[in-house]
Amino acid sequence: MELQRAMDNVFWLQGKGRQLVSLNLVRGQTVYGERTFNVSGKEYREWIPSRSKLAAALYKGLKDLDLKTGYKVLYLGASSGTTVSHVSDIAGENGQVYAVEVSEEMGANLILLAEKRRNIFPIIGDARKPEDYPKGIPKCDFLYQDVAQRDQVEIFLKNIEMFLKNGGSAALAIKTRSVDVSKPSRKVVEDTVRALRARLDVKTSIDLYPYQKDHALIIVRKNVQPTGKSDKNK
Ligand SMILES: C[S@@+](CC[C@H](N)C(=O)[O-])C[C@H]1O[C@@H](n2cnc3c(N)ncnc32)[C@H](O)[C@@H]1O
């Protein structure tokens, strides 16, 4: 079996076929029934595109995503932690993943996950109210949102404004049917991109079919302050 780098701690595993894997931060522990592979003394977890929109985007050709080892990440809509666990693999032991989930039921699993993965900080709260998050969340290098809500753009912009460093990137996973069932999926994505463009630099938009039907992932960058000053070190 051979590994080809996709991004920090994420690889394409070439064996019988080709699959995406992430370097397991907690050796011997799986999260959602995914398979593991041992290559040259290290353990990798399969990252399944039908279970994770971020994995689906990588299968659909997403490259150069500015999400790296050591990054601080704000993750909105963490659920029980399927994709969060892979983001935790990417961030590594020096990174921090602040994972927000509104449902207490899902949040209970997230808290259990965070007990095993020390770089995950679970927040049981509403992403619509970032002002109510616990104190101490720093400005982050990367923001990921997957809340499947009609007002997802407002939630995204509000959290970016409060918690993303200038120059940082963010990814918005959208479920087009949650926004408007009467409109074709493509039109919902176009309208969302247009709304984001007014405030952010939209890098790319990826239709996640066939891994995730009626879903897209939009990547944006928060513009550097007009003064030219970066707050990267805040
Ligand atoms: C599609 S699921 C997320 C799946 C997850 N991102 C993954 O890939 O493993 C959407 C999640 O967003 C949560 N959610 C919905 N509205 C929210 C809000 N306002 N604040 C925080 N979480 C929210 C839901 O409870 C649900 O767990």
Side-chain angles (χ1 to χ4, degrees):
M1 288 192 288
E2 220 174 87
L3 292 169
Q4 188 194 344
R5 186 183 178 283
M7 55 192 287
D8 281 3
N9 293 345
V10 177
F11 302 86
W12 293 105
L13 181 66
Q14 312 273 359
K16 282 184 199 154
R18 174 183 184 256
Q19 58 207 323
L20 197 64
V21 295
S22 63
L23 179 63
N24 196 355
L25 180 69
V26 187
R27 204 187 166 93
Q29 299 273 351
T30 57
V31 177
Y32 57 103
E34 72 280 20
R35 290 179 295 170
T36 58
F37 304 90
N38 287 304
V39 185
S40 307
K42 292 184 174 167
E43 186 177 80
Y44 297 86
R45 298 190 299 129
E46 175 184 26
W47 193 357
I48 304 173
S50 59
R51 301 288 303 275
S52 168
K53 282 142 221 158
L54 190 49
L58 291 161
Y59 271 87
K60 289 293 302 275
L62 175 64
K63 286 192 177 65
D64 304 324
L65 186 66
D66 186 20
L67 170 56
K68 296 189 174 129
T69 297
Y71 268 21
K72 297 182 181 80
V73 178
L74 180 61
Y75 190 117
L76 311 173
S79 192
S80 55
T82 300
T83 302
V84 171
S85 71
H86 291 285
V87 173
S88 151
D89 282 347
I90 295 168
E93 56 188 24
N94 295 321
Q96 296 163 12
V97 184
Y98 296 89
V100 181
E101 171 54 50
V102 75
S103 150
E104 288 192 7
E105 195 186 337
M106 292 300 169
N109 291 326
L110 186 65
I111 289 167
L112 290 177
L113 183 69
E115 283 170 7
K116 296 184 192 132
R117 293 178 162 262
R118 309 302 299 181
N119 67 358
I120 298 177
F121 300 85
I123 297 161
I124 310 308
D126 187 347
R128 289 191 176 94
K129 297 177 185 162
E131 62 279 8
D132 290 349
Y133 296 162
K135 297 254 174 307
I137 301 174
K139 286 253 181 181
C140 290
D141 304 289
F142 186 83
L143 185 147
Y144 185 84
Q145 179 178 308
D146 179 17
V147 295
Q149 294 287 353
R150 206 182 167 86
D151 57 342
Q152 60 202 339
V153 168
E154 289 75 16
I155 297 173
F156 192 55
L157 291 173
K158 203 170 171 187
N159 279 270
I160 283 177
E161 175 72 28
M162 284 186 71
F163 289 108
L164 185 65
K165 287 178 183 174
N166 283 323
S169 292
L172 174 63
I174 62 168
K175 182 178 179 184
T176 56
R177 296 181 69 78
S178 295
V179 180
D180 191 338
V181 275
S182 67
K183 274 192 206 166
S185 188
R186 189 177 42 78
K187 176 86 174 88
V188 172
V189 176
E190 280 169 12
D191 291 350
T192 308
V193 166
R194 195 170 309 115
L196 293 175
R197 243 189 211 128
R199 300 268 299 275
L200 298 159
D201 184 5
V202 178
K203 293 289 179 196
T204 188
S205 156
I206 299 174
D207 183 340
L208 303 182
Y209 185 85
Y211 305 105
Q212 307 261 350
K213 191 168 179 281
D214 296 323
H215 281 85
L217 192 77
I218 301 172
I219 309 293
V220 304
R221 184 164 179 265
K222 184 174 181 178
N223 294 323
V224 175
Q225 285 170 330
T227 56
K229 281 186 189 161
S230 158
D231 66 352
K232 268 242 174 241
N233 298 318
K234 267 189 196 167

